[in-house]
Amino acid sequence: MKISGSSALVTGGGSGLGEATARLLAAEGAIVHVFDRDAAGAERVAAEIGGVAIAGDVTSETDASAALDTAAAAGNGLRILVNCAGIGTAARLLGRDGPMPLDAFERVIRVNLVGTFNMMRLAAARIAETAELEGLGRGVIVNTASVAAFEGQIGQIAYSASKGGIVSMALPAARELARFGIRVNTIAPGLFRTPLLAGLPQEAQDSLAAAIPGPARLGTPEEFADTVRYLVANPYVNGEVIRLDGALRMQPR
Ligand SMILES: NC(=O)c1ccc[n+]([C@@H]2O[C@H](COP(=O)([O-])OP(=O)(O)OC[C@H]3O[C@@H](n4cnc5c(N)ncnc54)[C@H](O)[C@@H]3O)[C@@H](O)[C@H]2O)c1
C-alpha cells in the first residue's frame, strides 16, 4: 500500500510502539489518526506529527466506529490500520492467593484480543468501501502480538492467550479479506524499549537484554515501526506473522 497521502489509524498511538509507528507513518506522508484511551498521550503525539488525536477504547464499538469514520473521511479513505493498543498482566493460573480471578483473565483477553478483532472488523468495512489501487489492493491491517504467543512465561497465561489469539487470527483474516483487497499481517515483538521497560532499573534492563542473542539489547520502537512500514508497503506479504526479537526465545521464568 502507498503510505504517502493515505489515511492511517494507529491504536495505542499515544505511547511506545504505536507512537513510533504513528511518527514513521506521518514522516512518510500518511494522514495519521492517533487513537488511544490515554487522551493526553494521543494529543501529544498527534500535535508533534501533525496528525489527528482521537481518545477512545479499542473494545468499544462506539469509540472505534467514530474514530474509524473520521479516518475514513480523510484523504482517499482509510487504507492502513495498525493495532498496537494492549495491556499486560502478571498473574498465575494458580497463585499464592488461589486461582487467578476470572475477571483479570477476561480483562486482558478483552483489550488485547477482542479489541484487536473489534478494530479489524470495523476497519475492514471501511477499507472495503475505498477504490482499489492498481496492483496495491485497498488497504492493509497490521496487528501486534508478542513472542509470548509462542513462549509464554510463568505469570503470562492471560497475556499469552490473548497474543496467541492474535497470531491465530492472522491467516483466517487474510484469507477472508483477500477478496476485498485487504492484507493482514502480524508482528510478534520480543523485548522493546518502551515506557514499560524503560521504567525498569538499568540492572533489570541489562539482565533482560543479556537473554537476547543478537543484538544483545532491547529492540527500539523505531525498529518495530520500520517493520510496520515493510508490512504495509510490500504488496505480496499477507497472512504473515513476523517475529521481531533478535533471536530471543523466552525461558519459563
Ligand atoms: N514493549 C514490548 O517489549 C512489547 C513486547 C511484545 C509485545 N508488545 C505489545 O506491543 C503493544 C504496544 O506495547 P507498548 O510497549 O508500546 O506499550 P505502551 O503501554 O507503551 O503503549 C500501549 C498504549 O495502548 C493504549 N491502550 C491500552 N489499552 C487501550 C484500550 N483499551 N483502548 C485504547 N488504547 C489502549 C495505552 O494507553 C498506551 O498508550 C502491546 O500490544 C504490547 O502487548 C510490546
Side-chain angles (χ1 to χ4, degrees), residues 108-199:
V108 179
I109 299 292
R110 175 109 193 125
V111 174
N112 294 357
L113 180 57
V114 179
T116 298
F117 177 76
N118 189 39
M119 296 304 302
M120 270 211 294
R121 74 186 179 104
L122 297 170
R126 285 152 180 90
I127 299 172
E129 285 169 1
T130 62
E132 191 153 0
L133 303 175
E134 177 80 38
L136 295 174
R138 290 195 168 81
V140 58
I141 297 171
V142 179
N143 294 328
T144 307
S146 163
V147 295
F150 311 106
E151 299 116 36
Q153 295 186 297
I154 290 170
Q156 285 193 311
I157 189 140
Y159 186 71
S160 296
S162 71
K163 296 300 189 177
I166 292 174
V167 166
S168 296
M169 286 197 298
L171 188 59
R175 284 174 161 167
E176 192 192 316
L177 297 180
R179 73 186 183 95
F180 299 108
I182 303 172
R183 291 180 296 115
V184 182
N185 288 304
T186 300
I187 303 174
L191 296 169
F192 277 70
R193 188 183 299 280
T194 63
L196 193 78
L197 289 184

Side-chain angles (χ1 to χ4, degrees), residues 12 14-18 35-38 56-59 84-87 111 144-146 159 163 189-192 194-197:
S15 175
L17 304 183
F35 183 63
D36 203 298
R37 149 180 98 171
D38 169 11
D57 191 318
V58 292
T59 68
C84 290
I87 57 171
V111 174
T144 307
S146 163
Y159 186 71
K163 296 300 189 177
L191 296 169
F192 277 70
T194 63
L196 193 78
L197 289 184

